[in-house]
Amino acid sequence: MTSTISRCPCGSGLPLDACCGRFHAGEAAPTPEALMRSRYSAFALGLEDYLLATWHASTCPVDLNLDDATSWIRLEVLDHGSAGERGHVHFRATFREGRRWGVLAENSRFVHEAGRWFYVDGEPSMERLKPGRNDPCPCGSGRKFKSCCGLG
């Protein structure tokens, strides 16, 4: 898999091919966190087939109908772990839909079967953001909103 994206959308700072891209290409994610990061990157890149393939059969939807208007901006992993065949990841994902901003937070559950981790389900909550001109930018750049993503 050859990428034109210099950094992986998951926020690791690594090139896509050295990070989540290898999982998108078929390599099994070694941990629930790695799978969750690769799924976030798949949402950001519109890789619906990968998302469906890594969703546990017991809870997998027929299709996702990804919204092209949603741009996934930033991922924060707050907690993660595994015990035996079960795993969990608590994350926050910042997104933008046009000029509107939001944060999806979820406590996700994973299961390890047949040598692979699968996403089972989660407890999501969504919050709309209304960044002010002088607030820190929600993208995580450390700059003020007006000098960063608030320009457009």
Side-chain angles (χ1 to χ4, degrees):
M1 174 178 197
T2 303
S3 172
T4 58
I5 297 174
S6 60
R7 289 189 183 199
C8 187
C10 83
S12 68
L14 296 172
L16 176 62
D17 290 344
C19 192
C20 295
R22 65 185 207 249
F23 305 130
H24 299 158
E27 184 179 323
T31 64
E33 181 189 7
L35 179 61
M36 192 281 309
R37 285 181 173 280
S38 71
R39 286 176 54 82
Y40 170 86
S41 292
F43 272 105
L45 299 170
L47 304 177
E48 186 172 338
D49 289 346
Y50 179 78
L51 293 165
L52 293 171
T54 57
W55 210 309
H56 193 265
S58 67
T59 57
C60 186
V62 175
D63 59 57
L64 295 177
N65 297 319
L66 298 179
D67 186 353
D68 290 339
T70 302
S71 296
W72 295 95
I73 307 296
R74 179 180 183 201
L75 174 66
E76 299 168 89
V77 175
L78 306 173
D79 185 36
H80 63 90
S82 61
E85 303 299 305
R86 305 271 180 226
H88 71 277
V89 178
H90 181 200
F91 70 90
R92 287 174 38 101
T94 303
F95 62 93
R96 187 175 186 175
E97 295 170 324
R99 298 184 62 86
R100 296 176 59 184
W101 288 84
V103 173
L104 170 70
E106 184 172 294
N107 289 305
S108 303
R109 294 185 317 139
F110 297 83
V111 65
H112 193 258
E113 289 181 355
R116 292 188 170 270
W117 285 101
F118 292 92
Y119 170 77
V120 177
D121 60 16
E123 298 170 18
S125 65
M126 217 248 322
E127 169 188 358
R128 283 288 171 195
L129 299 177
K130 293 185 180 181
R133 292 176 36 80
N134 292 314
D135 290 340
C137 191
C139 77
S141 68
R143 297 178 9 208
K144 289 183 179 181
F145 181 65
K146 69 180 179 186
S147 301
C148 193
C149 295
L151 289 172

